[in-house]
Amino acid sequence: MTDESYIKLALEIAKKGRGKVSPNPLVGAILVKDEKIIGAGFHEYFGGSHAEINAFNNAKQDVEGSTLYVNLEPCCHYGKTPPCVNTIIEKKVKRVVIGTLDMNPIVSGNGVKALIEAGIDVRVGVLEEECAALNKFFFKHVSKHVPYITLKAAQTLDGKIADLSGDSKWITSLSSRRYVHELRSNYDGVLVGTTTVKKDDPSLTVRFIEGRNPKRIVIDSSLKLNLKLKLFVNNIDDNLIILTTKKSAAKVRKIKKLEQCGVQILFIDENKDGTINLKCALEELGKKGISSLLVEGGRKIYTSFIKENLFDEFLVFISPKLLGEGIPVVEELGLHSIRKALKLRIKTFEKIGDDILLELIR
């Protein structure tokens, strides 16, 4: 097998940590000796041993003289665990093949430097694009201290996310809804606005598949939402976060009731129009260790994120239905000619059930 083949395998193993290691990265490691895999491991949960250490612990024979394949540069600093480079050197590994450098400033390039100085043969940049893509959440969070933002919308063929009454159940197929639940399990948080909560009374949990529930985040600038809604009644895991303006701190009785429901309230700076400042909100969520955010609507929320250029990708589920009049995906963007239209690039597209899923990036 080639270096590329082993890194591909490391990537697949790394994915086993999805939903369990955030805000740490997804990492898989393979140990090869005499053209045979003698050990493998992945980062299994936040605070647990790193992939390299698990690979050593799982090795079936002496690892001295072996080649270590890992999709991300081994760490060289003390965090919740000791530096992996120290163990790699102590184990007398002969060669290390790395998919991509770590974007954490503490690590980036320093792990490679320590290995080379110890006399280990190092190759960097094998399937680099794929390795970077796997950890796009981690890279954004560790370098900019805010979450990776994905907008997700379900629309009809003519661009409507609901009818004129606000009813959106169900625009897309059951297959698409299952896909969305899988998406949710991979993100740290799911965010919606008050209108979506009032109209849909959503749970924002993972139900169609096995997986973790993300933190449920609602923008409620004035703390007006009814506590009888599902999000509050079913907040058994205390995973509900309300983003509101600092002016709302005066609503002492409502705040006390929310806290009794296990709700965490973040008071955010507001804009001139009384809405919360999204940039400040994302910074606060980043401080809470939320490295990825799936924004599920509604149109005012989509419009705000797009206008302020605060998204990394846009997932659009398109149903083969025509509605005519209805609620569009976005409101006025202030773009009054086709020449000024915001242009996105189609990264991938696929058919899911009866629908088409477009993955769009800026």
Side-chain angles (χ1 to χ4, degrees), residues 325-345:
E325 288 189 303
I327 297 173
V329 180
V330 293
E331 297 178 331
E332 172 61 45
L333 292 174
L335 307 171
H336 302 299
S337 73
I338 195 67
R339 292 188 299 276
K340 293 182 180 179
L342 177 63
K343 187 176 182 180
L344 303 178
R345 181 166 65 87

Side-chain angles (χ1 to χ4, degrees), residues 202-241:
S203 296
L204 301 181
T205 53
V206 174
R207 299 184 299 281
F208 291 140
I209 64 158
E210 288 187 13
R212 67 156 181 175
N213 285 321
K215 291 187 180 299
R216 301 171 292 283
I217 303 166
V218 180
I219 295 178
D220 184 3
S221 300
S222 304
L223 292 184
K224 290 183 177 179
L225 285 174
N226 192 316
L227 298 187
K228 293 182 180 180
L229 291 162
K230 289 178 185 176
L231 283 173
F232 302 104
V233 174
N234 299 331
N235 188 38
I236 300 171
D237 56 2
D238 294 344
N239 251 350
L240 178 58
I241 298 174

Side-chain angles (χ1 to χ4, degrees), residues 96 107 114-115 152 159 187 208 218 224 227 263 266 281 288 302 304 319 325 361:
V96 177
V107 180
L115 293 173
K152 188 280 297 180
Y187 281 76
F208 291 140
V218 180
K224 290 183 177 179
L227 298 187
V263 178
L266 298 183
K288 296 293 182 183
Y302 295 142
S304 297
S319 169
E325 288 189 303
I361 57 175

Side-chain angles (χ1 to χ4, degrees), residues 79-258:
K80 289 187 175 293
T81 58
C84 289
V85 292
N86 290 4
T87 304
I88 294 169
I89 293 167
E90 289 169 6
K91 294 289 187 179
K92 297 182 180 179
V93 170
K94 183 179 180 181
R95 184 170 179 253
V96 177
V97 179
I98 300 167
T100 185
L101 293 178
D102 192 332
M103 287 187 69
N104 186 340
I106 301 173
V107 180
S108 190
N110 293 321
V112 170
K113 182 181 177 182
L115 293 173
I116 292 173
E117 288 178 349
I120 295 174
D121 180 19
V122 179
R123 183 186 177 191
V124 182
V126 179
L127 300 183
E128 186 171 14
E129 187 174 335
E130 292 92 328
C131 292
L134 181 68
N135 277 308
K136 59 187 179 183
F137 297 165
F138 169 73
F139 284 171
K140 170 100 179 270
H141 185 245
V142 79
S143 61
K144 298 188 177 180
H145 312 295
V146 293
Y148 185 98
I149 306 297
T150 298
L151 307 183
K152 188 280 297 180
Q155 66 169 59
T156 60
L157 194 59
D158 50 350
K160 304 301 188 295
I161 59 172
D163 62 25
L164 290 177
S165 71
D167 184 15
S168 61
K169 294 182 179 178
W170 295 102
I171 288 177
T172 53
S173 65
L174 179 60
S175 296
S176 291
R177 299 201 295 277
R178 284 196 179 114
Y179 189 98
V180 169
H181 281 241
E182 185 175 350
L183 272 177
R184 285 179 183 171
S185 71
N186 291 331
Y187 281 76
D188 290 342
V190 174
L191 182 144
V192 294
T194 51
T195 302
T196 296
V197 176
K198 289 176 182 177
K199 288 286 185 181
D200 297 346
D201 193 14
S203 296
L204 301 181
T205 53
V206 174
R207 299 184 299 281
F208 291 140
I209 64 158
E210 288 187 13
R212 67 156 181 175
N213 285 321
K215 291 187 180 299
R216 301 171 292 283
I217 303 166
V218 180
I219 295 178
D220 184 3
S221 300
S222 304
L223 292 184
K224 290 183 177 179
L225 285 174
N226 192 316
L227 298 187
K228 293 182 180 180
L229 291 162
K230 289 178 185 176
L231 283 173
F232 302 104
V233 174
N234 299 331
N235 188 38
I236 300 171
D237 56 2
D238 294 344
N239 251 350
L240 178 58
I241 298 174
I242 297 292
L243 303 177
T244 191
T245 59
K246 290 184 176 179
K247 283 184 179 179
S248 296
K251 299 186 176 183
V252 179
R253 291 181 62 187
K254 184 64 174 284
I255 290 170
K256 186 176 181 180
K257 288 180 180 179
L258 287 167

